[in-house]
Amino acid sequence: VSVCVQIVGNGSEQQLQQELEDVLMDPSVTELVCGPDHLGGAKHGYPTTAVPPRSGPFHLESLFPSLLLDEPSDLSPGTPVPDEDSVVFSKLTYLGCASVNAPRSEVEALRMVSILRSQCQMPLDVTLSVPGVSEGTVRLLDPQTSTEIANYPIYKILFCVRGHDSTPESDCFAFTESHYNSEIFRIHVFRCEIQEAVSRILYSFATAFRRSANKVPLAAKAPPLTPDSDVFSFTVSLEIKEDDGKGTFSAVSKDKDRQSFKLRPGMDKKIVIYVQQTSNKELAIERCFGLLLSPGKNVKNSDMHLLDLESMGKSSDGKSYIITGSWNPNTPQFQAVNEETPKDKFMYMTTAVDLVITEVEEPVRFLLETRVRVCSPNDRLFWPFSKRSYTETFYLKLRPVRTSSVKSNSDTLYEVVSLESETERERRKTTASPDNDEPLLSGSGDVSKECGEKILETWGDLLSKWHLNLAVRPKPLPALVRSGVPEALRGEVWQLLAGCHNNDHLVEEYRTLITKESPQDSAITRDINRTFPAHDYFKDTGGDGQDSLYKICKAYSVYDEEIGYCQGQSFLAAVLLLHMPEEQAFSVLVKIMFEYGLRELFKQNFEDLHCKFFQLERLMQEYIPDLYAHFLNVGLEAHMYASQWFLTLFTAKFPLYMVFHIIDLLLCEGISVIFNVALALLKTSKDDLLQMDFEGALKFFRVPVPKRYRSEENAKKLMELACSMKVTGQKKLKKYEKEYHTIREQQEQQEAPIERYERENRRLQEANMRLEQENDDLAHELVSSKIALRKDLDNAEEKSDALNKELLITKQKLVESEDEKRRLEEESAQLKEMCRRELDKSESEIKKNSSIIGEYKQMKVEGCEKCSILFSKEGRLKVLSAPKEGSEEDTDEEKEVLKNQLREMELELAQTKLQLVEAECKIQVPQHLPDPRHHHAIHYIGSNTCDLCFIHSQHPSAPSHGKSTSKIP
C-alpha cells in the first residue's frame, strides 16, 4: 500500500482526504481497523496499559501484542503523547534519512528504502508517535526514556510508502517531508519488527491526514444549493493553441505571475473554451452559436469579431461542454494582438462565447478578459511558465417563468436576472465606498519573475564586476536600482547592498540565538499570524513561513536587548524571507536596523519618529503647500497617517511589487527614500484629499490609497515619481532635524513641567488609541480571513463528498463490468465446445457414408451376372483366359476390344458416380416411403443388375456390356 499525498496550500484536509481515498478503501487496510470493543486489550487476553485511553486512538497492543515494550516506561505503547491525540508504535528501527529530488515519486522512494536498508550500519531503535489529527506532529521518541528525538508536523509530510511484498523491504516503510523552506526534501526510512504492523502504521498516517481536531458537525454545515435556488455557478476556461509548424496546434504557455498568455506573431491559432456547471440543478447546454474575440478590455459588442467554429459538444466524461474556433491573427481586426508587445508590457484580449441553454429563454454570454503578450519568435524565456489555461467563475442568476404551454414541472423555463463573474465581484468590492470596504491585507499582490534578456545581461555584467571588489559599489548601480532589481536577483543584490556577503559570524550567532528564550515571546507569537496573511508562505499557522519568521524575530529580540522586538520588524523580516534563507535574512535585518537608522525609530521615547514626522510636514509645506494648509485646517497631523509608513517601511499595507521596490531603494540610498515615497503618495492623492475632512482623509489613507497601487502600472508610476523627486537630500533633512530639536528645546524651557507631562501624556494616549485601532483592524482582518477559510473548507468538503460518491458508483460499475465479462467468457467457451462436438459428429457421418457407398457399389457389381465375371471382389478387372478354339489373331483382337470396352466403362462409371451419390444421400435406406419422382431409382435398387446394366435398361441409347460407348453423350 502506498499513500501519495499532494499538499495544496500547505495541507488542506479535504485535498489530503481525497488523495487518500484509494488507501482507505483498500481491504488490507480496513481489516486492521478495530471498533470500540477492540480497544481494550484485556478483553482479548492481551496486556493493557495503566493509562486510560483518550478519545479515539487505536491501541496497537490490541492488534499486535508483541509490540509492547520490554520495560515499562512513562510512555508505553498505545498511550497517546501528552496533550495530543496520537497512536504510538514501538519495536521500530530508524534506518536513516537522505535527500530526494522527487518527494512524491514511489520509484525513487523505494530505491532509497532499499539502499538505506542494505547499507545502514548503526540502526536506531525508536518509538513512533503518529497523531490522530491533521494539525498534529509525528514524533520520534527514545524507547527507554520516552524523550523526543525529532518531530515532523503532519502538514510537512508529502508521501508515505511501504516496501513491496515478497521483497526484503516488505518490513520497511518511509515518509518524505519538506525541509528548509520547502526547497529541500528528505526521506526517513524505518523497519518494523512485525511485518504486518506496517499496514497499520500507514493507516494511522492516512487517518491523520483526513481527520480534523475540531470537526464541524454535519448539522452546522451550510446546506448545498437545491434545484430551487436561483444562482447557478459555472467555471469557464480559456485555452489558446498555436500552430507549431509541424501540422499540429499546441497550447501556448501562460506567465505564472502576470497571468498573461505568451503569443507569437503571424501564427494561426485556435481558441478552446471549456464550460462546466459546478452548482445547482444541471442545465442542458444545447449548442454554441457564437465565439467572438476582440483586442482590448471593456470592449463594445460591436467591436467583437466572430470566429469560425470548428467543433462543439460534451467532453468524453460528460462534465464539460467544449467549443473550438479557429483564429487567423493576420486579419486586420486582430492586428493589435499580432504585433510584438514592448518589453515589460502586456495588453488585454476579450473572448466571448454565446450559449443556447435549453431551460433558459435567451442566450447566455460568458465574457473572459485575459492578458496577452506578443513575443518575438526569437525571444528566450528566463522563467518557468506553468498554467496553460485561464479560468473564470460565473454566477448566473435565473428566475422561473411559466407560460401557458407548460404541461409539467419539467417544462419550466428560466429568464436571466443577472450574470456576474468572480472578477467582477471582487472589482465591485474594491470599488465600493470606504465605509463598506475592507483594508488591503498585508502580503497582497503578485510579483513577476520574468525579466527581459537585455536587463538580465546588464545586471549579470554588473554583478560580475562587483564580485571582483565587493567593497566598492559599481557606478551604474543606483540607476539600475531605481528601475527595480529583477525579482530573480533580489536575494543576492540585497545581501550585497547590505554588506552581508561575509557574515559567517552572524550566521553562527543566529543559530545560537534561536535556542535562547526571549522576554517578548508572547508579543512575537501574537504578531506572527498578522504578518502577510494574504501570502501563501505565511498564511498557515505553524507553517514553514511562520516558523522561520518567529525564529528571526525572536533571535533579534535577544540580539538587540535595548530595542528588543517591535511590530514593524516582523513585516521587514517577512519581506527578506521571501528572497533568502532565514540565516541570511537575519543578517540583512541586523544591518538594516543598525546601519540605516531604523533602531532610532523604534526607541521607547519615539523622539526620532516625531522628528521624522516634523521633517515630512516641512517638506509638504515646501513642495505641496496647498495640501499642507488643508491638513492644518482640518487638524490632520503627519503622525496620524504616516506612522505606519515609517514604522514598517510601507510593508504592512501596500502590495508586494511596490514594497520590494522600496526595499531596493532603501538598501541603495538609505532611509531618506521613505520621504520620497511619502511625498509621492501625497502628491498623487492630493486632488482627493483636498475634498475630504478629517475623518474622510484618515479612511482614505487606510483603504483606498494602498488598493490604488495593486495595479502594477500604478505602482510603477508612483515609484518613478518618487525616484524623480530630488527634494530629500541629507542637508535639507539635517536642517529640518536641527529645527525640530530647537523648537523642542524652546518648548521645554517655556512649558511648565506639568503641562509638558500632560502634553506628552496626550500624545501617548493618541498613539495608544491609534495602535488600538490598528489592532482592531488587524483582528477584524483575521476574523474575516478565518470566515473565508471556513467557507472554502466547507466547499472543499462538499466537493470531497461528491467525489467520494462518484468514486463508489464508478467502483460498482467496474464490478458489474467484470461480472459481465466473466459471463461472456463462459458463454464463449460453451459455444466453442458445442461447435467442436458438431464438427466431430459431421466428420464421423461423412466417414460412415463413404463406407456405405463403397460397400453398396461392391454389392451391385457382384450381383450382376455380366459384370461379375470381369471384376474381382476388390473391384479390380479379372484376367480372362484365352479361348481354346479359334485363331491367335482373333484372341488378340478380342482382348483389344475388351480393353476398350473396359476403358469406356470406367469413364461412364465416373460420370454416373455423382448422380449415384446424390441418390444415395436422398435415399440412404430402402425402408423410406417411395417418392414418385424416384420410381426408377427404387426399381434399380430392388433389381439384381449392376449400374451399367440398369442405365442401359432405362436408356437404350446408353452403352452396355456389349455395345460401343463411342456415342456416350
Side-chain angles (χ1 to χ4, degrees):
V1 181
S2 63
V3 183
C4 181
V5 180
Q6 178 70 36
I7 294 184
V8 180
N10 288 338
S12 169
E13 179 191 352
Q14 288 73 24
Q15 290 160 341
L16 297 175
Q17 181 178 357
Q18 178 180 350
E19 297 288 346
L20 290 165
E21 180 65 29
D22 292 339
V23 173
L24 299 179
M25 298 298 293
D26 195 304
S28 64
V29 175
T30 55
E31 287 175 0
L32 294 174
V33 182
C34 298
D37 293 339
H38 295 82
L39 292 180
K43 182 174 180 178
H44 297 275
Y46 301 148
T48 58
T49 176
V51 181
R54 297 185 62 186
S55 60
F58 297 103
H59 296 278
L60 195 60
E61 65 269 25
S62 64
L63 298 173
F64 309 105
S66 59
L67 287 180
L68 287 169
L69 294 173
D70 297 330
E71 296 293 334
S73 64
D74 296 335
L75 192 64
S76 59
T79 306
V81 175
D83 300 327
E84 186 170 80
D85 178 14
S86 60
V87 185
V88 178
F89 301 89
S90 60
K91 299 292 184 181
L92 299 180
T93 303
Y94 181 69
L95 302 181
C97 72
S99 297
V100 290
N101 296 323
R104 297 179 179 87
S105 170
E106 183 176 3
V107 175
E108 183 170 357
L110 291 175
R111 183 175 66 86
M112 297 308 302
V113 170
S114 176
I115 293 173
L116 289 176
R117 191 185 189 282
S118 61
Q119 297 183 0
C120 180
Q121 301 295 329
M122 298 180 63
L124 176 67
D125 293 334
V126 296
T127 299
L128 179 69
S129 170
V130 181
V133 294
S134 58
E135 297 82 7
T137 302
V138 176
R139 305 176 191 276
L140 297 186
L141 308 173
D142 188 317
Q144 304 299 326
T145 64
S146 299
T147 57
E148 182 175 294
I149 302 173
N151 64 78
Y152 313 95
I154 278 291
Y155 71 87
K156 297 180 69 173
I157 296 178
L158 307 180
F159 186 88
C160 299
V161 67
R162 64 166 298 175
H164 289 167
D165 292 335
S166 69
T167 65
E169 295 79 35
S170 59
D171 60 347
C172 296
F173 69 94
F175 62 81
T176 60
E177 50 104 9
S178 60
H179 178 64
Y180 195 71
N181 291 350
S182 300
E183 297 177 357
I184 298 176
F185 304 95
R186 298 188 302 186
I187 184 169
H188 301 269
V189 182
F190 302 80
R191 185 173 61 211
C192 190
E193 184 173 319
I194 297 180
Q195 181 177 342
E196 293 77 9
V198 176
S199 297
R200 181 63 185 86
I201 295 172
L202 289 186
Y203 179 76
S204 295
F205 276 97
T207 304
F209 281 118
R210 69 185 183 92
R211 286 183 57 191
S212 175
N214 299 315
K215 195 72 174 178
V216 179
L218 294 177
K221 292 185 179 179
L225 287 173
T226 64
D228 296 329
S229 301
D230 57 356
V231 177
F232 298 74
S233 61
F234 294 82
T235 59
V236 182
S237 300
L238 166 66
E239 188 177 58
I240 303 177
K241 296 184 176 182
E242 274 187 346
D243 187 355
D244 58 6
K246 301 178 183 178
T248 59
F249 285 80
S250 302
V252 303
S253 59
K254 187 160 69 71
D255 191 328
K256 183 178 180 181
D257 299 297
R258 294 191 178 185
Q259 299 296 309
S260 59
F261 286 101
K262 312 288 288 184
L263 307 180
R264 303 287 181 178
M267 299 289 186
D268 289 340
K269 298 174 176 61
K270 289 185 180 181
I271 296 291
V272 185
I273 301 290
Y274 303 84
V275 182
Q276 181 176 354
Q277 185 178 344
T278 56
S279 72
N280 215 325
K281 183 184 71 174
E282 184 177 1
L283 300 176
I285 299 177
E286 184 176 331
R287 61 186 175 89
C288 167
F289 73 92
L291 180 60
L292 304 100
L293 185 68
S294 175
K297 185 179 180 182
N298 300 323
V299 298
K300 301 178 182 178
N301 290 336
S302 58
D303 295 333
M304 302 292 292
H305 305 285
L306 196 64
L307 300 180
D308 294 332
L309 286 175
E310 290 190 356
S311 63
M312 67 180 77
K314 284 192 173 183
S315 60
S316 58
D317 58 5
K319 295 182 179 180
S320 302
Y321 194 86
I322 305 176
I323 305 103
T324 304
S326 59
W327 166 21
N328 182 6
N330 296 317
T331 54
Q333 55 265 34
F334 299 130
Q335 188 63 31
V337 287
N338 197 35
E339 297 177 347
E340 186 174 341
T341 308
K343 295 291 185 181
D344 301 326
K345 300 290 184 181
F346 58 85
M347 64 176 302
Y348 280 92
M349 182 184 75
T350 302
T351 308
V353 58
D354 294 324
L355 299 180
V356 176
I357 300 178
T358 304
E359 296 88 344
V360 182
E361 288 184 329
E362 61 267 38
V364 178
R365 168 171 287 188
F366 294 107
L367 205 66
L368 301 171
E369 293 179 344
T370 55
R371 292 179 175 184
V372 296
R373 287 194 67 242
V374 182
C375 305
S376 171
N378 300 322
D379 269 4
R380 296 169 57 193
L381 304 180
F382 286 88
W383 210 256
F385 299 90
S386 58
K387 298 180 180 179
R388 296 180 179 270
S389 63
Y390 168 80
T391 302
E392 180 69 273
T393 301
F394 290 87
Y395 302 95
L396 176 64
K397 189 173 183 179
L398 301 177
R399 179 170 54 216
V401 175
R402 295 182 180 271
T403 62
S404 59
S405 61
V406 173
K407 298 181 180 179
S408 65
N409 291 335
S410 61
D411 295 329
T412 303
L413 298 178
Y414 299 94
E415 63 177 358
V416 177
V417 178
S418 64
L419 177 62
E420 187 178 31
S421 67
E422 186 72 28
T423 302
E424 290 173 339
R425 281 190 173 185
E426 294 297 327
R427 188 182 300 137
R428 178 162 48 83
K429 291 178 182 179
T430 57
T431 56
S433 62
D435 294 332
N436 300 325
D437 204 359
E438 296 295 332
L440 187 67
L441 292 176
S442 62
S444 300
D446 296 326
V447 182
S448 174
K449 296 179 180 178
E450 182 187 2
C451 187
E453 182 177 359
K454 293 183 179 178
I455 297 177
L456 282 178
E457 289 178 354
T458 303
W459 273 98
D461 295 340
L462 183 139
L463 290 175
S464 299
K465 296 178 182 178
W466 197 357
H467 279 287
L468 297 177
N469 187 3
L470 294 174
V472 180
R473 292 182 177 181
K475 291 183 179 180
L477 181 63
L480 287 176
V481 171
R482 291 190 187 101
S483 298
V485 179
E487 178 65 11
L489 302 177
R490 275 198 166 108
E492 178 184 1
V493 173
W494 284 1
Q495 292 183 60
L496 293 175
L497 287 171
C500 295
H501 48 277
N502 187 15
N503 59 343
D504 294 342
H505 64 288
L506 279 177
V507 171
E508 292 298 328
E509 190 169 3
Y510 171 77
R511 294 170 181 170
T512 303
L513 292 171
I514 59 176
T515 63
K516 299 181 179 180
E517 296 295 329
S518 170
Q520 297 169 302
D521 187 80
S522 59
I524 297 172
T525 304
R526 183 177 62 251
D527 287 346
I528 293 302
N529 289 328
R530 305 173 181 178
T531 305
F532 283 10
H535 198 282
D536 290 340
Y537 187 53
F538 297 102
K539 69 180 181 181
D540 292 322
T541 302
D544 288 346
Q546 291 195 9
D547 181 60
S548 297
L549 187 59
Y550 168 79
K551 290 179 181 178
I552 290 181
C553 294
K554 172 186 173 182
Y556 187 86
S557 66
V558 178
Y559 178 83
D560 188 0
E561 296 180 356
E562 181 182 0
I563 300 298
Y565 169 78
C566 62
Q567 192 178 40
Q569 289 175 359
S570 62
F571 292 97
L572 182 56
V575 172
L576 299 175
L577 273 175
L578 292 176
H579 296 90
M580 60 192 75
E582 56 186 65
E583 291 91 346
Q584 282 74 22
F586 172 77
S587 302
V588 176
L589 178 63
V590 170
K591 290 284 186 177
I592 292 176
M593 294 293 293
F594 277 84
E595 298 184 10
Y596 287 82
L598 294 186
R599 292 181 76 252
E600 288 73 14
L601 294 178
F602 299 145
K603 286 184 178 179
Q604 296 297 326
N605 59 10
F606 293 101
E607 190 66 28
D608 191 73
L609 182 60
H610 282 286
C611 179
K612 295 290 189 293
F613 295 149
F614 179 82
Q615 292 171 320
L616 179 59
E617 289 179 344
R618 283 290 183 262
L619 291 171
M620 282 183 61
Q621 184 179 6
E622 182 176 356
Y623 294 98
I624 320 177
D626 48 351
L627 184 60
Y628 174 75
H630 177 70
F631 282 179
L632 285 180
N633 292 333
V634 299
L636 187 62
E637 300 178 7
H639 68 86
M640 298 177 183
Y641 59 85
S643 59
Q644 196 177 67
W645 296 355
F646 285 92
L647 288 174
T648 66
L649 302 180
F650 300 94
T651 58
K653 290 297 182 183
F654 288 89
L656 292 181
Y657 177 86
M658 178 176 164
V659 168
F660 293 167
H661 200 169
I662 292 174
I663 301 301
D664 293 342
L665 297 171
L666 170 73
L667 292 171
C668 183
E669 301 182 8
I671 196 68
S672 61
V673 169
I674 300 178
F675 295 101
N676 292 63
V677 178
L679 286 175
L681 284 170
L682 292 169
K683 192 169 185 178
T684 54
S685 305
K686 182 182 72 171
D687 295 338
D688 295 317
L689 291 169
L690 288 175
Q691 307 299 323
M692 297 178 183
D693 57 5
F694 178 84
E695 293 293 337
L698 286 180
K699 292 179 181 179
F700 183 75
F701 279 116
R702 188 171 67 93
V703 178
V705 169
K707 286 193 172 183
R708 176 177 293 177
Y709 300 102
R710 289 184 303 178
S711 166
E712 188 173 319
E713 295 89 339
N714 292 345
K716 194 169 185 178
K717 291 179 181 178
L718 177 74
M719 297 309 299
E720 289 176 355
L721 177 61
C723 293
S724 64
M725 300 180 70
K726 305 296 183 181
V727 297
T728 55
Q730 292 296 327
K731 292 183 178 180
K732 188 171 294 185
L733 292 177
K734 288 290 184 181
K735 172 186 174 183
Y736 292 146
E737 181 181 358
K738 185 177 180 179
E739 181 182 351
Y740 170 78
H741 289 299
T742 302
I743 294 174
R744 289 287 297 158
E745 291 175 359
Q746 293 176 355
Q747 289 177 349
E748 291 176 359
Q749 292 176 0
Q750 297 175 359
E751 196 173 34
I754 296 177
E755 294 178 354
R756 184 171 67 254
Y757 292 141
E758 289 178 351
R759 180 174 56 79
E760 186 66 26
N761 185 43
R762 285 194 303 270
R763 182 179 300 172
L764 291 174
Q765 288 178 351
E766 291 175 357
N768 184 52
M769 292 178 62
R770 184 182 68 255
L771 293 174
E772 287 180 353
Q773 179 63 36
E774 293 178 358
N775 184 52
D776 293 341
D777 293 341
L778 291 171
H780 180 69
E781 293 173 11
L782 181 61
V783 172
S784 301
S785 62
K786 284 186 176 180
I787 293 174
L789 289 174
R790 180 72 259 174
K791 182 179 178 182
D792 294 341
L793 185 62
D794 292 340
N795 293 336
E797 287 179 350
E798 292 176 3
K799 290 183 179 179
S800 176
D801 293 339
L803 290 173
N804 289 339
K805 293 178 181 178
E806 185 177 347
L807 179 63
L808 293 175
I809 294 172
T810 304
K811 288 187 175 181
Q812 181 64 28
K813 289 181 179 179
L814 178 61
V815 172
E816 294 174 357
S817 300
E818 290 177 348
D819 293 341
E820 180 69 14
K821 179 183 176 184
R822 258 191 316 272
R823 185 181 63 79
L824 293 175
E825 288 176 349
E826 292 174 357
E827 292 180 357
S828 175
Q830 293 174 359
L831 184 60
K832 287 180 180 179
E833 181 63 23
M834 184 181 68
C835 291
R836 187 188 62 78
R837 291 198 304 268
E838 291 296 327
L839 181 60
D840 293 342
K841 183 178 178 181
S842 300
E843 291 178 350
S844 176
E845 289 180 354
I846 290 172
K847 291 180 181 179
K848 181 179 179 181
N849 291 337
S850 300
S851 175
I852 291 174
I853 292 171
E855 292 176 356
Y856 181 73
K857 284 182 179 183
Q858 182 67 28
M859 179 186 70
K860 299 306 292 183
V861 171
E862 291 176 354
C864 180
E865 296 177 355
K866 298 179 180 181
C867 298
S868 60
I869 61 176
L870 300 176
F871 296 92
S872 65
K873 292 182 179 181
E874 291 80 8
R876 296 179 180 177
L877 183 66
K878 293 181 179 180
V879 179
L880 298 177
S881 60
K884 297 179 180 180
E885 297 179 357
S887 61
E888 184 178 352
E889 290 82 3
D890 295 337
T891 301
D892 295 337
E893 184 179 350
E894 186 177 354
K895 287 182 179 180
E896 186 66 27
V897 171
L898 289 175
K899 288 182 179 179
N900 293 334
Q901 289 179 354
L902 179 61
R903 192 179 301 109
E904 291 175 356
M905 289 175 63
E906 288 177 348
L907 293 174
E908 189 175 349
L909 181 62
Q911 291 177 356
T912 58
K913 187 175 182 180
L914 292 176
Q915 299 177 5
L916 180 62
V917 172
E918 291 181 358
E920 290 294 337
C921 292
K922 293 180 181 178
I923 307 174
Q924 293 185 4
V925 291
Q927 287 79 10
H928 287 302
L929 291 177
D931 190 322
R933 293 174 298 178
H934 300 158
H935 171 73
H936 297 299
I938 297 173
H939 180 270
Y940 163 62
I941 293 173
S943 64
N944 192 24
T945 59
C946 70
D947 298 342
L948 295 177
C949 295
F950 175 76
I951 294 171
H952 182 71
S953 67
Q954 301 298 323
H955 302 282
S957 60
S960 64
H961 296 285
K963 188 177 180 180
S964 173
T965 59
S966 61
K967 295 183 179 181
I968 293 178

